[in-house]
Amino acid sequence: MLAARRRPSQEFQMFRNESTEQVAEPAGSSRSGSRRRAWTVTVLLVVFMVINFGDKAVLGLAAGALQREFGISAEQYGVIASGFFLLFSLSALAVGFLVDRIATKPVLLALAVIWSLTLLPVLGTAGFVVILVSRIVLGAAEGPAFGVANHAMQKWFPDAERNVPAALLSLGPSLGVIITAPTLTWLMIHFGWRSMFVALIAVGVLWAILWAALGKDGPIGAETAQPRADETSPAPETTVSTLRVLATGTWIGSAVAVFAAYWSLSLLIAWLPPYLTTGAGYSESETGLLTTLPWVVGALAVVVQGAVSQRLMWRGVSGRWARGGLGGAVMIVSGVCTWAFVQVPAGPLKLALMALGLGISGVIFTVATTACGQVSPARRRGAVLGAFVAVYSLAGMIGPLVAGRLVGAAGAAPADGYETTFTLTAAIVVIGGVAAVALIRPERDAARLHARDVNRLR
């Protein structure tokens, strides 16, 4: 009877080892060497995400030149821009399942090479069809990037240490704006628009070479993992299915919250600049500078959130509050600030509210990926994160389209359309924050998955 009572707790510990914390180091390796490799891989993955943004953004920077040189109309350009998302979600989901079965290193290498190859056709005698096909292929190759990169990172860090590296990965879009946008613009001004594509191709190839030499899959969750002397034996193959993980409150809350944040992010990219010029009365030169403010604030917020969450978890605070509670509260503040910034006149207060409202909701990306990793067995994590990306990326298509309808419906008073757009965005972000606080409970959901797993095995 005593043994029977202890069995669930012992199996739960085994489940935790398999899903988040089973770390195996090769014989003769040092802990410091393993940590160096973990951070080397993390830095490479951060650069990977920066390149990801640069490849995504270069079309917008070169839009005018492409339209003039290849005779592309505004309507055709809109189709090209939307075509990027045609296979984005499907690819994220499919590759997510793939990396549960094969190593992440060759997958990431293939993605980076494809990115560079899709930029090549634009350097020649291109046109509408060629550019459209290249963007569709690029979108298919970029869809899995965030999920696979996080899956690769989580193989190197136990659960309690994932918040900071996950935060660094989430900095990719912000660093992409801060680094690649002005750099690529400088290249275009001095060497022509094709130089931007050449530079991105070269950087992509260089990253692929470095990744081939230095990249490596981590030991956490590896099927061949062997425990150190002070660790519990690794768990047997879990019977927890991917669908059961996707049905947990943690996954649903994470997907809803990040969908809301991605909605806000897509408007930040596509609609904030025209709002500042036509809706708020700022000049184009002022707008170019002001649009970077939310990205800078967002980058700082992500780093601070990652550090705070990690410290809370080291002190024994549950993932519900260190991740879901903290991240959800930040999103609620973000939504309130988004609503407020369109209500006040132009000035420092408006800019501060804009930067906070559109910048800080991005912290939920770190929260959600680490929470999903916490509840998911390692052998299911690729598919779980792939499905997560597939759902939230839909906001990248829907958000800008809805904004366009609302602004267009305002007719001669575009400011009213923008106010409606950002008020709706504020409400969506608040709902996402509430979902994060209410639903992200990784310890509870992991325990429930484990209990069902035990009952099934009995």
Side-chain angles (χ1 to χ4, degrees):
M1 291 293 293
L2 182 59
R5 291 193 190 99
R6 288 179 178 174
R7 184 182 175 189
S9 62
Q10 291 169 347
E11 289 180 348
F12 178 61
Q13 180 63 36
M14 293 165 72
F15 179 88
R16 291 182 72 247
N17 287 340
E18 180 199 42
S19 62
T20 58
E21 298 179 355
Q22 180 59 45
V23 184
E25 296 175 8
S29 68
S30 66
R31 177 65 172 165
S32 60
S34 177
R35 297 288 292 178
R36 284 196 298 272
R37 176 57 68 92
W39 283 106
T40 297
V41 168
T42 300
V43 170
L44 285 171
L45 292 174
V46 172
V47 176
F48 175 81
M49 294 307 302
V50 171
I51 297 172
N52 174 280
F53 178 86
D55 290 345
K56 188 186 285 102
V58 69
L59 182 74
L61 296 173
L66 290 172
Q67 289 179 269
R68 290 190 298 271
E69 182 155 340
F70 298 125
I72 296 173
S73 67
E75 291 78 9
Q76 288 176 321
Y77 174 75
V79 172
I80 291 171
S82 298
F84 177 84
F85 287 99
L86 182 63
L87 300 177
F88 194 95
S89 295
L90 291 176
S91 177
L93 183 60
V95 176
F97 277 94
L98 179 65
V99 293
D100 278 338
R101 292 161 175 78
I102 68 174
T104 56
K105 178 177 178 177
V107 174
L108 290 166
L109 181 62
L111 293 179
V113 171
I114 293 172
W115 295 352
S116 295
L117 292 176
T118 59
L119 300 179
L120 282 172
V122 184
L123 299 179
T125 305
F128 169 70
V129 174
V130 172
I131 298 175
L132 174 61
V133 171
S134 70
R135 293 300 289 184
I136 291 173
V137 176
L138 178 63
E142 290 203 350
F146 187 68
V148 177
N150 272 276
H151 182 43
M153 177 275 294
Q154 291 189 28
K155 291 184 177 184
W156 282 102
F157 296 90
D159 179 61
E161 298 179 11
R162 288 176 184 162
N163 294 286
V164 170
L168 293 177
L169 286 187
S170 297
L171 281 176
S174 297
L175 291 177
V177 172
I178 297 169
I179 296 173
T180 66
T183 302
L184 292 176
T185 301
W186 183 87
L187 286 172
M188 180 173 63
I189 292 172
H190 290 85
F191 301 102
W193 65 267
R194 283 184 172 86
S195 65
M196 297 190 294
F197 290 84
V198 172
L200 287 172
I201 291 170
V203 171
V205 171
L206 176 60
W207 185 90
I209 293 171
L210 291 174
W211 180 251
L214 302 175
K216 183 179 179 181
D217 275 62
I220 298 179
E223 291 185 2
T224 57
Q226 296 296 324
R228 297 194 301 266
D230 60 340
E231 290 182 329
T232 306
S233 297
E237 179 70 30
T238 182
T239 61
V240 174
S241 69
T242 300
L243 288 177
R244 282 169 57 190
V245 178
L246 301 187
T248 61
T250 294
W251 188 89
I252 294 171
S254 296
V256 170
V258 177
F259 179 93
Y262 205 68
W263 180 293
S264 178
L265 177 64
S266 68
L267 297 189
L268 170 60
I269 295 171
W271 286 101
L272 181 63
Y275 165 73
L276 290 174
T277 53
T278 62
Y282 290 97
S283 68
E284 290 185 356
S285 59
E286 290 173 328
T287 296
L289 176 63
L290 296 177
T291 51
T292 64
L293 291 178
W295 297 99
V296 174
V297 172
L300 294 174
V302 166
V303 173
V304 171
Q305 179 276 323
V308 171
S309 289
Q310 185 152 304
R311 181 167 291 277
L312 289 174
M313 294 194 72
W314 280 346
R315 292 183 175 182
V317 177
S318 70
R320 178 189 181 185
W321 298 114
R323 288 171 174 164
L326 177 62
V330 172
M331 284 196 72
I332 292 171
V333 172
S334 171
V336 172
C337 290
T338 298
W339 170 81
F341 102 84
V342 293
Q343 310 299 321
V344 300
L349 178 59
K350 186 181 191 69
L351 297 178
L353 290 170
M354 177 194 74
L356 288 171
L358 299 178
I360 63 176
S361 66
V363 303
I364 201 65
F365 284 89
T366 303
V367 167
T369 53
T370 52
C372 288
Q374 187 179 352
V375 77
S376 174
R379 293 175 181 86
R380 304 286 183 263
R381 190 170 56 224
V384 167
L385 291 175
F388 167 73
V389 174
V391 170
Y392 81 65
S393 61
L394 294 174
M397 289 190 296
I398 301 172
L401 289 175
V402 171
R405 292 291 183 88
L406 292 174
V407 174
D416 293 339
Y418 285 116
E419 181 175 343
T420 303
T421 296
F422 286 110
T423 300
L424 174 62
T425 300
I428 291 172
V429 171
V430 169
I431 291 171
V434 172
V437 174
L439 297 177
I440 296 179
R441 299 185 180 187
E443 289 86 3
R444 178 201 64 179
D445 290 334
R448 287 179 176 178
L449 288 173
H450 160 74
R452 294 183 62 182
D453 206 24
V454 171
N455 291 333
R456 184 174 178 179
L457 291 172
R458 284 175 175 170

